[in-house]
């Protein structure tokens, strides 16, 4: 194909022209296929390699594998506007019923840590004093019985149709959750849609339970707590739990209005405690993020945030 001037780099860019003339993005949904393309030289950079491919990548002399603690959280959200998830005892019961440590082993292959808060532990104002829900089938059954469901109930769980930084295998995780909840009498039907439909329908609150997650844009707790759990997020579609707690909301909104970091931290510490007690989610994991390049790629750096930045990157 004849290369037009529009396909070349911007030589008038104020920091100077990039060494690369152009970038070609190839959408490859299967993580293992992405890895294979990298190994054969068909591409130069891959994102979100499958956990099962990481060991081989580390040993491959032609590949440079990078990792960083991810500014992310993967979770299962309850739609608190629908029965029985309007009952906090049911939400707490399911928190106790899920063996999240096994998910970390089997799905993330250890490349993540169990999440107890809606913000990652690398973020300022993280509340390490929050007490997590222990895996406890007996306690889960007691709470369900107290909530009026001694024999359990039937529900749906939407499973992620694509691999994401916070959840590499949504269907497999769904099967684990399905098996765990069967132990307390909760019968789960697994449902999924293509990714655009999944996002559109969940934003409207059509789900009962769903897998989702978030990768931070800017390193501020507001980017998680207000967007994902604030009352305004219900209408915006970003609060998929559709949970609107007045006290929590007042705290995160007050933290948006002040600039004093100590005051903001106090507010966020309290907000995380309310979140945990009210349990609009099951917090699943904070995953490490990985990028892999061929050794020909020079100057590429991995970011904890959502983007990949290619200015200054070159091929040798």
């Amino acid at each position: 194909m004849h290369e037009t001037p529009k396909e070349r780099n911007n030589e008038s860019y104020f920091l100077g022209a990039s060494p690369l003339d152009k970038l070609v993005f190839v959408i490859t949904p299967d993580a293992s296929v992405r890895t294979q393309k990298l190994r054969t030289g068909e591409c130069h950079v891959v994102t979100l390699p499958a956990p099962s491919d990481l060991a081989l990548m580390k040993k491959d002399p032609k590949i440079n594998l990078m990792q960083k603690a991810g500014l992310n959280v993967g979770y299962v959200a309850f739609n608190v506007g629908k029965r029985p998830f309007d009952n906090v005892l049911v939400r707490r019961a399911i928190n106790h019923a899920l063996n999240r440590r096994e998910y970390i082993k089997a799905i993330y292959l250890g490349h993540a840590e169990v999440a107890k808060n809606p913000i990652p532990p690398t973020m300022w104002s993280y509340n390490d004093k929050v007490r997590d829900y222990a895996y406890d089938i007996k306690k889960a059954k007691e709470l369900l019985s107290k909530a009026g469901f001694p024999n359990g109930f039937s529900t749906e769980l939407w499973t992620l149709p694509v691999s994401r930084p916070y959840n590499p295998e949504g269907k497999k995780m769904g099967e684990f959750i399905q098996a765990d909840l069967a132990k307390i009498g909760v019968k789960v039907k697994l449902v999924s849609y293509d990714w655009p439909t999944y996002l559109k329908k969940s934003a409207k609150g059509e789900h009962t339970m769903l897998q989702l997650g978030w990768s931070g844009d800017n390193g501020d707790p507001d980017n998680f707590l207000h967007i994902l759990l604030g009352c305004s997020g219900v209408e915006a579609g970003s609060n998929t739990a559709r949970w609107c707690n007045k006290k929590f909301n007042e705290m995160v909104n007050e933290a948006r209005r002040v600039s004093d970091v100590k005051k903001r931290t106090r507010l966020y510490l309290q907000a995380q405690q309310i979140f945990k007690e009210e349990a609009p989610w099951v917090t699943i994991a904070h995953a490490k993020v990985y990028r892999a390049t061929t050794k020909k790629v020079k100057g590429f750096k991995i970011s904890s945030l959502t983007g990949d930045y290619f200015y200054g990157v070159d091929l040798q």
Side-chain angles (χ1 to χ4, degrees):
M1 183 178 72
H2 177 69
E3 186 174 288
T4 67
K6 288 183 179 180
E7 291 178 309
R8 297 190 61 82
N9 59 16
N10 182 3
E11 295 181 359
S12 62
Y13 182 56
F14 77 102
L15 289 176
S18 171
L20 297 175
D21 286 337
K22 61 180 178 180
L23 290 170
V24 178
F25 293 88
V26 179
I27 307 303
T28 309
D30 190 302
S32 295
V33 174
R34 294 197 295 271
T35 298
Q36 188 60 29
K37 286 184 176 182
L38 186 72
R39 296 182 72 184
T40 60
E42 190 176 338
C43 69
H44 300 101
V45 179
V46 297
T47 64
L48 307 182
S52 57
D53 290 333
L54 295 175
L56 286 176
M57 284 182 158
K58 289 178 181 177
K59 296 177 182 178
D60 194 321
K62 296 180 181 179
I63 291 177
N64 180 27
L65 180 66
M66 292 167 271
Q67 75 169 59
K68 205 163 191 176
L71 203 69
N72 62 52
V73 63
Y75 58 85
V76 171
F78 305 112
N79 187 337
V80 302
K82 292 185 177 181
R83 287 175 54 85
F85 300 117
D86 56 341
N87 189 324
V88 68
L89 296 179
V90 171
R91 303 196 299 266
R92 290 173 182 167
I94 291 182
N95 266 273
H96 280 297
L98 300 190
N99 193 348
R100 295 169 295 155
R101 295 195 183 281
E102 286 303 311
Y103 307 169
I104 300 298
K105 292 178 185 177
I107 297 170
Y108 300 85
L109 302 183
H111 302 288
E113 62 180 293
V114 172
K116 69 175 180 178
N117 287 322
I119 64 174
T122 53
M123 180 171 280
W124 63 272
S125 81
Y126 179 83
N127 192 342
D128 200 32
K129 294 182 179 180
V130 164
R131 186 177 179 182
D132 204 0
Y133 292 95
Y135 174 57
D136 190 333
I137 293 296
K138 182 180 178 182
K139 181 68 173 177
K141 288 181 176 179
E142 288 174 356
L143 287 169
L144 269 191
S145 183
K146 190 175 180 180
F149 298 94
N151 300 314
F153 56 88
S154 297
T155 189
E156 286 185 351
L157 169 66
W158 292 12
T159 63
L160 281 169
V162 292
S163 62
R164 303 298 292 164
Y166 47 77
N167 185 347
E169 293 189 57
K171 187 175 185 295
K172 186 174 182 179
M173 184 180 289
E175 291 167 352
F176 272 86
I177 292 172
Q178 185 182 52
D180 280 344
L181 292 184
K183 297 172 186 175
I184 63 170
V186 176
K187 301 176 182 65
V188 176
K189 178 183 178 182
L190 301 181
V191 176
S192 197
Y193 302 93
D194 63 84
W195 188 224
T197 303
Y198 191 95
L199 293 175
K200 184 178 180 180
K201 290 172 76 69
S202 62
K204 293 179 179 179
E206 296 182 21
H207 57 286
T208 48
M209 295 171 63
L210 91 161
Q211 300 169 353
L212 210 56
W214 187 257
S215 295
D217 296 323
N218 54 32
D220 194 282
D222 177 79
N223 188 234
F224 285 74
L225 299 177
H226 178 260
I227 291 176
L228 302 179
L229 294 159
C231 293
S232 62
V234 176
E235 184 69 26
S238 56
N239 181 344
T240 51
R242 306 186 78 78
W243 176 69
C244 179
N245 181 279
K246 183 179 178 181
K247 192 172 181 181
F248 177 95
N249 201 60
E250 287 174 352
M251 287 177 176
V252 296
N253 279 330
E254 177 63 18
R256 302 186 89 204
R257 289 190 287 264
V258 298
S259 58
D260 183 84
V261 174
K262 289 184 179 180
K263 184 173 182 181
R264 295 188 74 206
T265 298
R266 285 196 299 270
L267 290 164
Y268 287 140
L269 290 173
Q270 294 175 64
Q272 288 168 77
Q273 188 63 52
I274 293 170
F275 162 84
K276 203 64 186 180
E277 292 170 0
E278 290 295 309
W281 298 352
V282 179
T283 48
I284 301 291
H286 302 299
K288 295 177 183 177
V289 292
Y290 290 87
R291 296 292 185 270
T293 73
T294 67
K295 289 293 178 69
K296 292 182 179 181
V297 177
K298 304 299 178 183
F300 181 85
K301 295 180 181 179
I302 189 171
S303 171
S304 294
L305 304 178
T306 54
D308 291 291
Y309 305 95
F310 288 91
Y311 179 75
V313 177
D314 200 0
L315 279 178
Q316 293 181 359

